[in-house]
């Protein structure tokens, strides 16, 4: 829903326009009111507006100066002038400052609604044009990936390198983002895909894997990646401008683990990685590439989601290394389940860890798993202020297990502790949700005649307006705006039945801008006018 801000120093004009625009449901606008340019700027500082409908001549800051402030800070906002002055100088300056429209107050309601509708349509068109421009630029880049891939494939297959200068020229022409006089780190991924999966789907999954990696690399490294075939991806990586002095090799290892985890969770893919042991010169890329290929081939059958380092003797102890990496990934996944209070997923993951027979002959790795899980549970409990749960479970005993059977019992105790923590958090979250809904409804009841915009309620309960709207719907199954109108309607019914107040006073008392708007809304909702309802309720 878009937002419109009304600005005029005459309250009856603001209230009348608010009622007029609110009745036009097809515009889908949340209407805000201000009675001076300064008050309008306060609103604009609190929340973004899509359209500002303002008078020109106002005490203090006039509408033209307000427009300059709006366009300087919110250039996409559409400003519509509504004024009683048909003077060329006003029109000229308004148009010069890119006013969306200029309407005389004597032109009537339909002119106002038409101007607002044009502004909404213009906003929609600008968004569509921006999308079209982005799509055009994307099409212009279609040919570039093929040229990049062909160049890199030649580099991987030939242990030759051009001079530093010509190499850099080629890198720049192909927009690869790498530097020819800096060493390169190689990473290769092998994706386990079903053979019966259509080729376009395989290509799409590899593309998604590359996008996930891009999100993690971001500006920390220079890198380019290419799909070598339907199951393999290669990355060429260099230190970025924002490296901050950290070790690139260590950073890549950490990121690759996260890529594996995210790919498994989002794409349901098992991805194995082979990494260079160290940086290499451009002329050695081909031999390093061949080494990574051998490493992945020699490790097939050990397990899923391998993370292997491309040193000369990496394949020899691949089994223990793969088991360690598998355990690390599984614990990381368990940590995520705990953070999100996913009880069933946590228990299933712990069952998977407990039943992993590859850990039976590896007591050191089992011990590492115990320590890491204790750390996960303690961190979670402290972050959620639930340390008392761990004290009750006597966590100090959970890291001491000599035999495999004892370790399995320890894991079952940890699974139970995590389950307890999740349940405790769920109960607390439910109570928090109930308290939040109660606070919102109490605020609505106490301010029926006042400002009940999402922005104002969000400020009261310290939530972002957009998130608050979604959260309220999630907690109650009802839109917050619908809840407000229901409360207003119910209070209006009570006042009609129990008091002799005038209709216009009742309308104002429950937050309607005009008696006419209240009467139309009441009849549309109840199929009776307020007076008809009063008479029937007293029979």
């Amino acid at each position: 829903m878009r937002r419109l801000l009304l600005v005029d120093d005459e309250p009856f004009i603001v209230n009348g326009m608010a009622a007029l625009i609110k009745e036009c449901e097809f515009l889908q606008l949340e209407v805000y009111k201000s009675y001076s340019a300064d008050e309008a700027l306060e609103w604009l500082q609190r929340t973004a507006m899509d359209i500002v409908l303002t008078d020109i001549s106002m005490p203090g800051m006039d509408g033209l100066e307000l427009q300059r402030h709006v366009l300087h800070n919110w250039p996409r906002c559409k400003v519509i002038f509504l004024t009683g002055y048909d003077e060329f100088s006003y029109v000229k300056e308004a148009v010069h400052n890119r006013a969306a429209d200029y309407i005389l107050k004597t032109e009537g309601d339909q002119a106002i609604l038409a101007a607002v509708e044009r502004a909404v349509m213009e906003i929609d068109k600008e968004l569509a044009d921006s999308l079209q421009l982005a799509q055009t630029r994307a099409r212009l880049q279609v040919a570039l990936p093929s040229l990049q891939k062909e160049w890199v494939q030649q580099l991987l297959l030939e242990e030759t390198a051009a001079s530093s200068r010509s190499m850099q020229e080629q890198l720049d022409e192909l927009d690869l983002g790498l530097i020819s006089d800096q060493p390169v780190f190689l990473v290769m991924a092998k994706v386990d895909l079903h053979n019966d999966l259509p080729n376009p789907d395989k290509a799409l999954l590899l593309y998604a894997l590359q996008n996930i990696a891009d999100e993690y690399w971001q500006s920390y490294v220079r890198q380019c990646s290419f799909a070598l075939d339907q199951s393999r991806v290669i990355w060429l990586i260099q230190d970025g401008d924002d490296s901050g002095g950290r070790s690139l090799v260590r950073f890549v290892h950490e990121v690759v683990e996260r890529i594996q985890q995210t790919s498994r969770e989002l794409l349901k893919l098992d991805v194995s990685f082979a990494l260079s042991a160290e940086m290499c010169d451009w002329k050695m890329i081909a031999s390093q590439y061949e080494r990574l290929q051998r490493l992945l081939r020699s490790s097939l059958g050990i397990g899923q989601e391998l993370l292997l380092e491309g040193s000369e003797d990496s394949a020899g102890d691949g089994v223990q290394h793969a088991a360690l990496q598998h355990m690390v990934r599984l614990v990381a996944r368990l940590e995520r389940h705990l953070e999100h209070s996913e009880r069933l997923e946590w228990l299933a993951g712990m069952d998977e860890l407990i039943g992993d027979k590859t850990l039976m002959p590896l007591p050191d790795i089992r011990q590492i798993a115990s320590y890491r899980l204790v750390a996960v549970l303690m961190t979670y409990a402290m972050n959620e202020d639930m340390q008392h749960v761990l004290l009750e479970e006597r966590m100090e005993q959970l890291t001491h297990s000599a035999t495999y059977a004892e370790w399995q019992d320890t894991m079952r105790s940890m699974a139970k502790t995590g389950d307890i923590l999740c349940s405790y958090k769920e109960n607390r979250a439910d109570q928090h949700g109930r308290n939040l809904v109660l606070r919102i409804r109490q605020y609505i009841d106490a301010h029926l005649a006042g400002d009940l915009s999402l922005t104002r309620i969000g400020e009261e309960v310290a939530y972002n307006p957009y998130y608050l709207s979604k959260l309220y719907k999630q907690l109650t199954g009802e839109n917050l705006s619908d809840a407000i109108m229901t409360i207003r309607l119910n209070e209006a019914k009570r006042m009609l039945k129990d008091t002799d107040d005038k209709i216009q006073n009742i309308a104002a008392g429950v937050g309607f801008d005009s008696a006419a708007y209240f009467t139309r809304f009441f009849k549309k909702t109840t199929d009776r006018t307020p007076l008809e309802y009063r008479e029937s309720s007293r029979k």
Side-chain angles (χ1 to χ4, degrees), residues 489-490 493 496 518-530 532-533:
L489 180 64
N490 291 337
K493 288 180 178 179
L496 287 168
F518 168 69
T519 299
R520 288 192 293 270
F521 171 80
F522 195 94
K523 182 173 176 58
K524 180 180 179 180
T525 307
T526 67
D527 204 30
R528 286 177 288 182
T529 66
E532 289 171 344
Y533 179 86

Side-chain angles (χ1 to χ4, degrees), residues 282-476:
W282 285 89
K283 63 182 180 180
M284 299 301 297
I285 285 179
S287 61
Q288 188 66 257
Y289 166 65
E290 178 58 30
R291 184 175 300 159
L292 296 184
Q293 287 195 101
R294 290 199 308 269
L295 187 63
L296 280 175
R297 285 195 299 266
S298 65
S299 300
L300 292 178
I302 292 178
Q304 295 180 329
E305 289 190 326
L306 306 180
L307 180 55
L308 307 170
E309 184 174 291
S311 58
E312 292 296 341
D313 58 348
S314 292
D317 59 350
V319 174
Q320 180 150 339
H321 185 77
L324 175 61
Q325 294 301 324
H326 175 66
M327 181 274 294
V328 169
R329 288 190 300 275
L330 184 53
V331 172
R333 193 159 67 245
L334 286 165
E335 182 176 13
R336 178 185 175 280
H337 293 324
L338 197 61
E339 288 176 351
H340 292 82
S341 297
E342 298 168 343
R343 296 177 60 229
L344 296 180
E345 291 82 355
W346 162 264
L347 293 172
M350 289 299 296
D351 285 342
E352 179 183 348
L353 181 62
I354 293 168
D356 190 347
K357 299 300 183 183
T358 62
L359 298 178
M360 185 179 296
L362 302 171
D364 291 342
I365 295 179
R366 295 201 308 266
Q367 193 72 6
I368 293 173
S370 299
Y371 284 124
R372 294 194 66 156
L373 278 171
V374 166
V376 166
L377 290 168
M378 292 181 67
T379 301
Y380 177 76
M382 288 187 290
N383 289 341
E384 300 295 336
D385 195 23
M386 295 187 290
Q387 299 92 320
H388 62 281
V389 176
L390 298 187
L391 293 175
E392 294 170 3
E393 295 300 314
R394 303 177 67 184
M395 293 297 293
E396 73 278 359
Q397 297 182 2
L398 296 183
T399 57
H400 304 291
S401 52
T403 68
Y404 180 64
E406 290 174 345
W407 177 81
Q408 287 181 310
D409 289 340
T410 296
M411 293 300 101
R412 293 187 185 98
S413 297
M414 290 192 187
K416 176 184 174 184
T417 300
D419 188 26
I420 293 172
L421 289 170
C422 287
S423 299
Y424 189 89
K425 184 179 179 181
E426 286 175 1
N427 294 335
R428 192 167 61 184
D430 290 343
Q431 184 60 47
H432 176 75
R434 288 191 293 269
N435 291 340
L436 177 63
V437 171
L438 179 62
R439 287 180 61 197
I440 291 172
R441 289 180 175 169
Q442 287 175 339
Y443 182 82
I444 293 171
D445 289 338
H447 299 82
L448 272 182
D451 179 8
L452 291 180
S453 65
L454 288 176
T455 299
R456 182 66 194 93
I457 297 174
E459 291 172 345
E460 180 66 22
V461 297
Y463 275 87
N464 175 275
Y466 288 115
Y467 179 70
L468 176 64
S469 178
K470 293 179 180 179
L471 181 60
Y472 189 90
K473 177 70 177 289
Q474 178 183 332
L475 293 172
T476 66

